[in-house]
Amino acid sequence: MKIIDKNGKLFGKISILDIVIVACIAFLAVVLIAGKTGQIKLPIETKSSTEYVAKMKAYNVEKTEKSPFEVGCGLYSVNGEYIGKVTEIDRRPMISKEKLADGTYFDYESQTAYDYFLTVEGSGTVSERGVFAQGTFALYPNNSITLSSKYFSGGIVVLSVEKKA
């Protein structure tokens, strides 16, 4: 007697397809029961429509007649996702370190560029992995991202992200 006959039945009595279907249903039942009782952790929970406040730094921005940022202007990712609106702007001269011939360093204040420290408010989703603007664009500290606004397009560093109180 063969293990699998020409009709695809195991020992001539049970179909292999039936065994696969029953095994899949049993596996799903075990996962759902274990998830409800807390024995295994199901996929990450997300909280949608969470308000957040992000502190960002636009570095080495050329001095121009018009400021590249305005309170109330929107910031967007390179893919067009809305990150949030600027609520505060702190413009400071860009400081860079210069090394002297004797090996010491001194701070050099740029005459041609500024650093902009921005406070941005927006909404998105929050999960164990962090904050996501529009549910897809990750915002986390020390992340260097490219954003754009009405008068700016360039690199920005995320300094901090917190849920809005």
Side-chain angles (χ1 to χ4, degrees):
M1 180 176 185
K2 291 182 177 180
I3 294 178
I4 301 174
D5 68 5
K6 64 181 177 178
N7 294 330
K9 293 190 175 189
L10 193 62
F11 300 113
K13 297 181 182 193
I14 304 170
S15 170
I16 293 176
L17 184 60
D18 293 338
I19 293 173
V20 170
I21 292 171
V22 170
C24 288
I25 292 172
F27 174 75
L28 291 173
V30 168
V31 168
L32 289 174
I33 291 170
K36 294 285 185 193
T37 60
Q39 293 176 355
I40 64 170
K41 198 169 193 177
L42 291 177
I44 297 170
E45 290 183 37
T46 60
K47 295 180 183 175
S48 61
S49 193
T50 301
E51 302 290 318
Y52 61 83
V53 176
K55 304 280 186 181
M56 300 180 179
K57 177 184 177 184
Y59 50 90
N60 196 17
V61 179
E62 266 187 59
K63 286 184 179 181
T64 58
E65 294 273 330
K66 176 111 175 111
S67 173
F69 301 103
E70 297 173 346
V71 171
C73 76
L75 286 181
Y76 299 87
S77 73
V78 291
N79 296 329
E81 292 125 336
Y82 179 70
I83 304 304
K85 87 174 169 185
V86 177
T87 58
E88 253 181 71
I89 302 168
D90 181 18
R91 183 182 77 179
R92 301 179 194 164
M94 189 189 88
I95 305 290
S96 60
K97 296 238 181 240
E98 296 292 328
K99 186 175 182 179
L100 299 175
D102 65 358
T104 60
Y105 289 90
F106 77 98
D107 288 341
Y108 170 74
E109 188 175 298
S110 174
Q111 302 300 312
T112 61
Y114 287 117
D115 286 339
Y116 287 86
F117 293 85
L118 309 171
T119 302
V120 178
E121 292 183 6
S123 66
T125 58
V126 175
S127 73
E128 294 172 353
R129 294 186 178 168
V131 175
F132 295 86
Q134 295 294 308
T136 58
F137 192 82
L139 294 172
Y140 52 88
N142 299 322
N143 185 17
S144 182
I145 55 180
T146 302
L147 296 182
S148 63
S149 68
K150 188 173 181 179
Y151 301 112
F152 174 82
S153 181
I156 291 182
V157 174
V158 178
L159 302 175
S160 68
V161 181
E162 298 171 355
K163 286 194 280 187
K164 193 172 177 182

